[in-house]
Coordinates of all heavy atoms in Angstrom, one line a residue:
A1 N 0.8 -1.2 0.0 CA 0.0 0.0 0.0 C 0.9 1.3 0.0 O 0.6 2.2 -0.7 CB -0.9 0.0 1.2
A2 N 1.9 1.3 0.8 CA 2.8 2.4 0.9 C 3.4 2.7 -0.5 O 3.5 3.9 -0.9 CB 3.8 2.2 2.0
R3 N 3.9 1.7 -1.2 CA 4.5 1.8 -2.5 C 3.5 2.4 -3.5 O 3.9 3.1 -4.4 CB 5.0 0.5 -3.0 CG 6.3 0.0 -2.3 CD 7.0 -1.1 -3.1 NE 6.2 -2.3 -3.3 CZ 6.2 -3.3 -2.4 NH1 6.9 -3.3 -1.3 NH2 5.4 -4.3 -2.6
A4 N 2.2 2.1 -3.3 CA 1.2 2.7 -4.2 C 0.7 4.0 -3.7 O -0.3 4.6 -4.4 CB 0.0 1.7 -4.3
G5 N 1.2 4.6 -2.7 CA 0.8 5.9 -2.2 C -0.5 5.9 -1.5 O -1.1 6.9 -1.4
I6 N -0.8 4.8 -0.9 CA -2.1 4.6 -0.2 C -1.9 4.8 1.3 O -0.8 4.3 1.9 CB -2.7 3.2 -0.4 CG1 -3.0 3.1 -1.9 CG2 -4.0 3.0 0.4 CD1 -3.4 1.7 -2.3
L7 N -2.8 5.5 2.0 CA -2.7 5.7 3.4 C -2.7 4.3 4.1 O -3.5 3.5 3.8 CB -3.9 6.5 3.9 CG -4.0 6.7 5.4 CD1 -2.9 7.6 5.9 CD2 -5.4 7.4 5.7
T8 N -1.8 4.1 5.1 CA -1.7 2.9 5.8 C -1.8 3.2 7.3 O -1.4 4.3 7.8 CB -0.4 2.1 5.6 OG1 0.7 2.9 6.0 CG2 -0.2 1.8 4.1
Q9 N -2.2 2.2 8.0 CA -2.3 2.3 9.5 C -2.1 0.9 10.1 O -2.8 -0.1 9.6 CB -3.6 2.9 10.0 CG -3.6 3.3 11.4 CD -4.8 4.2 11.8 OE1 -5.4 4.7 11.0 NE2 -5.0 4.3 13.1
C10 N -1.3 0.7 11.1 CA -1.2 -0.5 11.8 C -1.9 -0.3 13.2 O -1.5 0.6 13.9 CB 0.3 -0.9 12.1 SG 0.5 -2.4 13.0
I11 N -2.9 -1.2 13.4 CA -3.6 -1.2 14.7 C -3.4 -2.6 15.3 O -4.0 -3.6 14.8 CB -5.1 -0.9 14.5 CG1 -5.2 0.5 13.9 CG2 -5.8 -0.9 15.9 CD1 -6.7 0.9 13.6
N12 N -2.4 -2.8 16.1 CA -2.0 -4.1 16.6 C -3.0 -4.6 17.7 O -3.2 -4.0 18.7 CB -0.6 -4.0 17.3 CG 0.0 -5.3 17.6 OD1 -0.7 -6.3 17.8 ND2 1.3 -5.4 17.6
H13 N -3.6 -5.7 17.3 CA -4.7 -6.3 18.2 C -4.2 -6.6 19.6 O -4.9 -6.7 20.6 CB -5.4 -7.5 17.6 CG -4.4 -8.6 17.4 ND1 -3.6 -8.8 16.3 CD2 -4.3 -9.7 18.2 CE1 -2.9 -9.9 16.4 NE2 -3.3 -10.5 17.5
R14 N -2.9 -6.9 19.7 CA -2.3 -7.3 21.0 C -2.3 -6.1 22.0 O -2.1 -6.4 23.2 CB -0.9 -7.8 20.8 CG -0.8 -9.1 20.0 CD 0.7 -9.6 19.8 NE 0.7 -10.8 19.1 CZ 0.8 -10.9 17.8 NH1 0.7 -9.9 17.0 NH2 0.8 -12.1 17.2
E15 N -2.5 -4.9 21.5 CA -2.5 -3.8 22.4 C -3.9 -3.5 23.0 O -4.1 -2.5 23.7 CB -2.0 -2.6 21.6 CG -0.6 -2.7 21.2 CD -0.1 -1.6 20.3 OE1 -0.9 -0.7 20.0 OE2 1.1 -1.6 19.9
F16 N -4.9 -4.3 22.7 CA -6.3 -4.1 23.1 C -6.7 -5.2 24.0 O -6.4 -6.4 23.8 CB -7.2 -4.0 21.9 CG -6.9 -2.7 21.1 CD1 -5.9 -2.8 20.1 CD2 -7.6 -1.6 21.3 CE1 -5.6 -1.7 19.3 CE2 -7.3 -0.4 20.5 CZ -6.3 -0.5 19.5
P17 N -7.5 -4.9 25.1 CA -7.9 -5.9 26.0 C -9.0 -6.8 25.5 O -9.2 -7.9 26.1 CB -8.5 -5.1 27.2 CG -8.9 -3.8 26.6 CD -7.9 -3.5 25.5
S18 N -9.7 -6.5 24.5 CA -10.8 -7.3 24.0 C -10.9 -7.1 22.4 O -10.4 -6.2 21.9 CB -12.1 -7.0 24.6 OG -12.6 -5.7 24.2
R19 N -11.6 -8.1 21.8 CA -11.9 -8.0 20.4 C -12.7 -6.8 20.1 O -12.5 -6.1 19.1 CB -12.6 -9.3 19.9 CG -11.7 -10.5 19.8 CD -12.4 -11.7 19.4 NE -11.6 -12.9 19.2 CZ -12.0 -14.1 18.9 NH1 -13.3 -14.3 18.8 NH2 -11.2 -15.1 18.8
E20 N -13.7 -6.5 21.0 CA -14.6 -5.4 20.7 C -13.8 -4.0 20.8 O -14.0 -3.1 20.0 CB -15.7 -5.4 21.8 CG -16.7 -6.4 21.6 CD -16.3 -7.8 22.1 OE1 -15.2 -7.9 22.7 OE2 -16.9 -8.8 21.8
D21 N -12.8 -3.9 21.7 CA -12.0 -2.7 21.8 C -11.2 -2.5 20.5 O -11.0 -1.4 20.0 CB -11.1 -2.7 23.0 CG -11.9 -2.6 24.3 OD1 -13.0 -1.9 24.3 OD2 -11.5 -3.1 25.4
F22 N -10.6 -3.6 20.1 CA -9.8 -3.6 18.8 C -10.7 -3.2 17.6 O -10.4 -2.3 16.9 CB -9.2 -5.0 18.6 CG -8.6 -5.1 17.2 CD1 -7.4 -4.4 16.9 CD2 -9.2 -5.9 16.2 CE1 -6.8 -4.6 15.6 CE2 -8.6 -6.0 15.0 CZ -7.4 -5.4 14.7
D23 N -11.9 -3.8 17.5 CA -12.8 -3.4 16.4 C -13.2 -2.0 16.5 O -13.4 -1.3 15.5 CB -14.0 -4.4 16.4 CG -13.7 -5.7 15.8 OD1 -12.6 -5.9 15.4 OD2 -14.7 -6.5 15.6
T24 N -13.4 -1.5 17.7 CA -13.8 -0.1 17.8 C -12.8 0.8 17.3 O -13.1 1.8 16.6 CB -14.1 0.2 19.3 OG1 -15.2 -0.5 19.8 CG2 -14.4 1.7 19.5
A25 N -11.5 0.5 17.5 CA -10.4 1.3 17.0 C -10.3 1.2 15.5 O -10.1 2.3 14.8 CB -9.1 0.9 17.7
V26 N -10.5 0.0 15.0 CA -10.5 -0.1 13.5 C -11.6 0.6 12.9 O -11.4 1.3 11.8 CB -10.5 -1.6 13.1 CG1 -10.5 -1.8 11.6 CG2 -9.2 -2.3 13.7
V27 N -12.8 0.5 13.4 CA -14.0 1.2 12.9 C -13.7 2.7 12.9 O -14.0 3.4 11.9 CB -15.2 0.9 13.7 CG1 -16.4 1.8 13.4 CG2 -15.7 -0.6 13.4
K28 N -13.1 3.2 13.9 CA -12.9 4.7 14.0 C -11.9 5.1 12.9 O -12.1 6.1 12.2 CB -12.2 5.0 15.4 CG -11.9 6.5 15.6 CD -11.4 6.7 17.0 CE -11.1 8.2 17.3 NZ -9.9 8.7 16.6
A29 N -10.9 4.3 12.6 CA -9.9 4.6 11.6 C -10.6 4.6 10.2 O -10.3 5.4 9.3 CB -8.7 3.7 11.6
L30 N -11.4 3.6 10.0 CA -12.1 3.5 8.7 C -13.1 4.6 8.5 O -13.2 5.2 7.4 CB -12.9 2.2 8.7 CG -12.1 0.9 8.6 CD1 -12.9 -0.3 8.9 CD2 -11.4 0.7 7.2
R31 N -13.8 5.0 9.5 CA -14.7 6.2 9.4 C -14.0 7.5 9.1 O -14.4 8.3 8.3 CB -15.6 6.2 10.7 CG -16.7 5.2 10.7 CD -17.5 5.3 12.0 NE -18.8 4.5 11.8 CZ -19.5 4.1 12.9 NH1 -19.1 4.5 14.1 NH2 -20.6 3.5 12.7
E32 N -12.9 7.6 9.8 CA -12.1 8.8 9.6 C -11.6 8.9 8.2 O -11.4 10.0 7.6 CB -10.9 8.9 10.6 CG -11.3 9.2 12.0 CD -10.1 9.1 13.0 OE1 -9.0 8.6 12.6 OE2 -10.3 9.5 14.2
A33 N -11.4 7.8 7.5 CA -10.9 7.8 6.1 C -12.1 7.8 5.1 O -11.9 7.8 3.9 CB -10.1 6.5 5.9
G34 N -13.3 7.9 5.6 CA -14.5 8.0 4.8 C -14.8 6.7 4.0 O -15.3 6.8 2.9
V35 N -14.5 5.6 4.6 CA -14.7 4.3 4.0 C -16.2 3.9 3.8 O -16.9 4.1 4.8 CB -13.9 3.2 4.7 CG1 -14.3 1.8 4.3 CG2 -12.4 3.4 4.5
E36 N -16.6 3.5 2.7 CA -17.9 3.0 2.4 C -18.1 1.5 2.3 O -19.2 1.0 2.6 CB -18.4 3.6 1.1 CG -18.4 5.2 1.1 CD -18.6 5.7 -0.3 OE1 -17.7 5.5 -1.2 OE2 -19.6 6.4 -0.6
L37 N -17.0 0.8 2.0 CA -17.0 -0.6 1.9 C -15.7 -1.2 2.5 O -14.7 -0.7 2.1 CB -17.2 -1.1 0.4 CG -17.1 -2.6 0.2 CD1 -18.3 -3.3 0.7 CD2 -16.9 -2.9 -1.3
V38 N -15.9 -2.2 3.4 CA -14.7 -2.8 4.0 C -14.4 -4.1 3.3 O -15.3 -4.9 3.2 CB -14.9 -3.0 5.5 CG1 -13.7 -3.6 6.2 CG2 -15.3 -1.7 6.2
V39 N -13.1 -4.2 2.9 CA -12.7 -5.4 2.2 C -11.7 -6.1 3.0 O -10.6 -5.6 3.3 CB -12.1 -5.0 0.8 CG1 -11.6 -6.2 0.1 CG2 -13.1 -4.3 0.0
L40 N -12.0 -7.4 3.4 CA -11.0 -8.2 4.1 C -10.2 -9.0 3.1 O -10.7 -9.7 2.3 CB -11.7 -9.2 5.1 CG -12.8 -8.6 6.0 CD1 -13.2 -9.6 7.0 CD2 -12.2 -7.4 6.8
A41 N -8.9 -8.8 3.2 CA -7.9 -9.5 2.3 C -6.9 -10.2 3.1 O -5.8 -9.7 3.3 CB -7.3 -8.4 1.4
G42 N -7.2 -11.4 3.6 CA -6.3 -12.1 4.4 C -6.2 -11.5 5.8 O -5.1 -11.5 6.4

């Protein structure tokens, strides 16, 4: 992604006490980027 000039972010799940807390952080980052469709790729 970086080579293609795309915004990247690492949100390490090990830094969160629960799956829900991790997902909340990911959702926040996606919304801040104006994402309309989430694509899981591995």
Side-chain angles (χ1 to χ4, degrees):
R3 287 195 297 270
I6 299 168
L7 176 67
T8 66
Q9 190 168 349
C10 179
I11 303 177
N12 194 332
H13 65 277
R14 294 181 177 87
E15 298 175 357
F16 295 84
S18 70
R19 287 178 176 173
E20 288 76 13
D21 289 332
F22 170 72
D23 276 5
T24 297
V26 175
V27 166
K28 181 175 183 290
L30 291 168
R31 283 178 166 164
E32 287 175 349
V35 167
E36 299 167 294
L37 176 69
V38 182
V39 177
L40 308 188

